[in-house]
Amino acid sequence: MSLENLTNNYREILTNLGEQPQRDGLKGTPERAAKAMQFLCRGYTQSLEEIVNGALFDSDNDEMVIVKDIELYSLCEHHMLPFIGKAHVAYIPTGKVIGLSKVARIVDMFARRLQIQENLTRQIAEAIQQVTNAAGVAVVIEAKHMCMMMRGVEKQNSSMHSSVMLGAFRESVNTRQEFLQLISRSN
Ligand SMILES: [Zn+2]
């Protein structure tokens, strides 16, 4: 990602929108916007190995591990507008557990790309499965999409829910329900 090219692109966007990129308030805007977009898309430059960085620990625990309410900021690939919400991730370990902060960082790595919510949900679930070799993985994402709220249908309060269940969460109704109950509690 070249900052210079991206900056030039944003200058052109401003011109095409009818603005004067040279005016005082906009002087630094193309570069700032380019840097912001690089930050919001930094997941493209990250890899699962680098993120996890060996933070896997031996454990006898075979009970469900849940990380709730992980803040999520992403950009929809159809409009490049934000969608914002939270992710809930659970897995059932089989000898290895992963550092909790790493779960959040995995969510972030996939969120900081152009996404659709369904694919994002699946990519997180498959990554957790791949890293931990869990007996099951569940991911639920609830998010509000600016492309719905600010344009188009302008539905201010609709949020989208997506879920992916792998392994035990897919096969066992009880396991799935336990997870869904735990994430629907308010604390
Ligand atoms: Zn969109």
Side-chain angles (χ1 to χ4, degrees):
M1 287 194 276
S2 150
L3 180 61
E4 199 187 336
N5 285 345
L6 207 49
T7 300
N8 290 335
N9 293 337
Y10 272 110
R11 195 170 294 115
E12 244 178 273
I13 288 172
L14 287 174
T15 306
N16 287 327
L17 289 173
E19 266 291 358
Q20 281 116 28
Q22 302 81 4
R23 76 174 168 85
D24 245 17
L26 290 180
K27 265 185 194 147
T29 298
E31 189 179 333
R32 274 192 300 267
K35 283 184 175 163
M37 196 49 111
Q38 282 185 329
F39 181 85
L40 298 179
C41 290
R42 70 181 191 271
Y44 289 122
T45 65
Q46 298 172 325
S47 71
L48 201 52
E49 296 76 45
E50 173 202 333
I51 292 284
V52 175
N53 192 25
L56 273 177
F57 310 100
D58 292 332
S59 168
D60 297 336
N61 178 26
D62 59 358
E63 298 291 331
M64 189 184 304
V65 176
I66 299 192
V67 190
K68 263 177 65 169
D69 297 325
I70 303 167
E71 282 179 57
L72 179 131
Y73 301 94
S74 191
L75 294 172
C76 82
E77 69 183 22
H78 297 141
H79 306 93
M80 297 174 74
L81 288 171
F83 62 98
I84 296 169
K86 47 194 178 172
H88 312 290
V89 176
Y91 68 101
I92 298 171
T94 53
K96 297 267 182 210
V97 292
I98 184 175
L100 288 186
S101 68
K102 300 296 184 181
V103 174
R105 293 201 61 200
I106 289 171
V107 169
D108 225 31
M109 178 182 93
F110 290 110
R112 299 301 195 177
R113 300 174 183 190
L114 301 182
Q115 282 286 9
I116 65 170
Q117 189 177 325
E118 296 90 333
N119 291 345
L120 173 60
T121 312
R122 178 156 297 280
Q123 287 165 9
I124 294 166
E126 286 174 353
I128 300 283
Q129 173 67 48
Q130 187 191 324
V131 169
T132 61
N133 197 29
V137 178
V139 178
V140 166
I141 294 177
E142 316 162 23
K144 294 193 169 199
H145 290 246
M146 293 307 140
C147 60
M148 277 189 77
M149 297 169 73
M150 297 175 69
R151 55 163 289 287
V153 287
E154 294 187 58
K155 290 279 179 260
Q156 307 297 328
N157 290 310
S158 62
S159 69
M160 180 175 162
H161 288 233
S162 55
S163 68
V164 169
M165 305 282 157
L166 304 177
F169 289 93
R170 193 176 186 83
E171 287 142 24
S172 159
V173 177
N174 287 344
T175 305
R176 187 161 63 239
Q177 268 173 355
E178 185 187 343
F179 166 68
L180 293 173
Q181 265 166 19
L182 286 165
I183 64 169
S184 68
R185 283 191 201 154
S186 55
N187 57 36

